[in-house]
Amino acid sequence: IIALLLFAMTAVGITSGQLVSKQFENDNRRDLSQKSSTIVNELLNQFTPQNLFDGSQRELVNQRINEYARVFNSDLSLFDARGRLVNTSQPKLYALGLSADLVNPSPYYGIKNNRAYSGNVTETAGNLKYLSHYTPIYDEAKQLQGFINLPYFAKQSSLLRELSGIISALINVYLVLFMLSLGSGLVLSGYITQP
């Protein structure tokens, strides 16, 4: 009974951890997609798609990108239709070579060939892996003008806090079940061995 309970506790703990991690990742992807579309809509309310990539508007676009980066608590990068960096809220990342100044090829070709409206991809900077979302920007003639990129550095502390809460609740429940099974096992063995 005790071995069965320990096996069940381990199986439920592992399954719960995997489900919570997957749900956490799906929530991050959905939030990133919604945040990206909101930022694109706000930018297109203030600029035409061509003006976003026009050199004469660069300073004004840079101010807006920095403003949205603060409001949405996310880094923003703007790439032209050829996939080259035009503007960013974090120029130091690109200057130090921690991020490439070209669009990731996977979402670039997917969006450019109209196979996807937007793209999520896992990218790396050194040893750090993070989720990155690319949203295309089209003009009135449905011609691709460029991309906006939002990297998302998942807060592992939030995931760990959520996982530890679930696992501690499971441990509490299974500790009570373990004590009950141990007590019932002792009582049952006492009745069996009494004769």
Side-chain angles (χ1 to χ4, degrees), residues 106-160:
S106 176
Y108 176 76
Y109 288 112
I111 292 170
K112 190 131 173 106
N113 297 328
N114 290 327
R115 287 182 298 195
Y117 179 69
S118 62
N120 285 318
V121 67
T122 302
E123 297 183 332
T124 57
N127 292 331
L128 176 67
K129 288 189 176 189
Y130 61 94
L131 183 66
S132 192
H133 185 82
Y134 291 89
T135 302
I137 299 173
Y138 296 102
D139 63 10
E140 298 79 19
K142 300 295 181 197
Q143 294 296 315
L144 181 67
Q145 295 296 309
F147 305 85
I148 192 164
N149 170 246
L150 274 78
Y152 181 75
F153 304 98
K155 297 174 179 70
Q156 292 299 322
S157 59
S158 301
L159 176 60
L160 291 176

Side-chain angles (χ1 to χ4, degrees), residues 1-2 5-6 9 171-187:
I1 291 173
I2 292 169
L5 192 62
L6 287 174
M9 184 172 100
I171 287 174
N172 289 337
V173 168
Y174 276 107
L175 188 62
V176 169
L177 289 175
F178 183 75
M179 293 303 208
L180 286 173
S181 67
L182 188 62
S184 62
L186 288 173
V187 169

Side-chain angles (χ1 to χ4, degrees), residues 2-193:
I2 292 169
L4 189 63
L5 192 62
L6 287 174
F7 175 75
M9 184 172 100
T10 305
V12 168
I14 290 171
T15 304
S16 298
Q18 290 173 343
L19 287 174
V20 167
S21 297
K22 190 167 187 163
Q23 185 63 42
F24 185 77
E25 186 176 333
N26 289 339
D27 288 347
N28 287 338
R29 287 179 187 272
R30 186 178 58 249
D31 291 345
L32 196 56
S33 177
Q34 289 173 348
K35 192 185 294 187
S36 179
S37 63
T38 302
I39 290 170
V40 167
N41 288 337
E42 288 295 323
L43 284 172
L44 292 179
N45 282 338
Q46 296 177 11
F47 302 97
T48 65
Q50 293 83 2
N51 285 346
L52 277 174
F53 304 99
D54 186 6
S56 64
Q57 299 285 321
R58 182 179 171 94
E59 193 58 41
L60 188 56
V61 171
N62 191 40
Q63 288 175 355
R64 290 293 176 254
I65 284 179
N66 286 322
E67 179 185 322
Y68 292 141
R70 281 191 304 275
V71 169
F72 290 98
N73 196 23
S74 178
D75 296 336
L76 295 171
S77 296
L78 200 59
F79 295 89
D80 65 16
R82 293 179 298 164
R84 295 172 195 240
L85 182 69
V86 174
N87 222 322
T88 182
S89 64
Q90 287 294 333
K92 288 181 184 176
L93 289 176
Y94 296 93
L96 295 172
L98 295 174
S99 290
D101 57 355
L102 294 172
V103 172
N104 187 301
S106 176
Y108 176 76
Y109 288 112
I111 292 170
K112 190 131 173 106
N113 297 328
N114 290 327
R115 287 182 298 195
Y117 179 69
S118 62
N120 285 318
V121 67
T122 302
E123 297 183 332
T124 57
N127 292 331
L128 176 67
K129 288 189 176 189
Y130 61 94
L131 183 66
S132 192
H133 185 82
Y134 291 89
T135 302
I137 299 173
Y138 296 102
D139 63 10
E140 298 79 19
K142 300 295 181 197
Q143 294 296 315
L144 181 67
Q145 295 296 309
F147 305 85
I148 192 164
N149 170 246
L150 274 78
Y152 181 75
F153 304 98
K155 297 174 179 70
Q156 292 299 322
S157 59
S158 301
L159 176 60
L160 291 176
R161 195 169 41 249
E162 201 170 324
L163 279 174
S164 65
I166 288 172
I167 291 186
S168 66
L170 285 173
I171 287 174
N172 289 337
V173 168
Y174 276 107
L175 188 62
V176 169
L177 289 175
F178 183 75
M179 293 303 208
L180 286 173
S181 67
L182 188 62
S184 62
L186 288 173
V187 169
L188 188 61
S189 66
Y191 280 124
I192 291 172
T193 57

